[in-house]
Amino acid sequence: AFVSVDRLSDLDRQFLMERQIISRELSENEGARGVWLDDTERFSVMVNEEDHLRIQVMQSGLDLQAAWE
């Protein structure tokens, strides 16, 4: 799913930051920006953050191989 961060309320942006789906920079920057995320919220791609694209994978247990796969 794609979420247009620039169209979200402050509360919704805060929720996504607390869930570590988006960064503070993405939440607070101005202009067109968004995030793609999967159904499990483990994988996200931030668009127009401080980098053009930031790919993020969250995996518990320090399992780098599972995160990479």
Side-chain angles (χ1 to χ4, degrees), residues 13-29:
R13 286 197 306 269
Q14 181 68 31
F15 174 77
L16 292 176
M17 280 192 322
E18 288 175 2
R19 304 268 308 146
Q20 298 181 343
I21 294 171
I22 65 172
S23 66
R24 180 172 307 282
E25 290 82 7
L26 189 69
S27 175
E28 294 175 353
N29 284 348

Side-chain angles (χ1 to χ4, degrees), residues 6-62:
D6 55 315
R7 296 182 181 162
L8 293 176
S9 69
D10 291 342
L11 183 62
D12 288 334
R13 286 197 306 269
Q14 181 68 31
F15 174 77
L16 292 176
M17 280 192 322
E18 288 175 2
R19 304 268 308 146
Q20 298 181 343
I21 294 171
I22 65 172
S23 66
R24 180 172 307 282
E25 290 82 7
L26 189 69
S27 175
E28 294 175 353
N29 284 348
E30 304 224 353
R33 61 205 189 281
V35 61
W36 274 284
L37 57 133
D38 71 340
D39 294 337
T40 65
E41 297 180 357
R42 287 184 50 231
F43 176 79
S44 63
V45 178
M46 291 176 262
V47 181
N48 290 336
E49 195 236 7
E50 75 179 308
D51 300 318
H52 295 293
L53 293 174
R54 179 170 289 192
I55 301 169
Q56 173 175 276
V57 177
M58 304 296 270
Q59 177 67 35
S60 64
L62 299 172

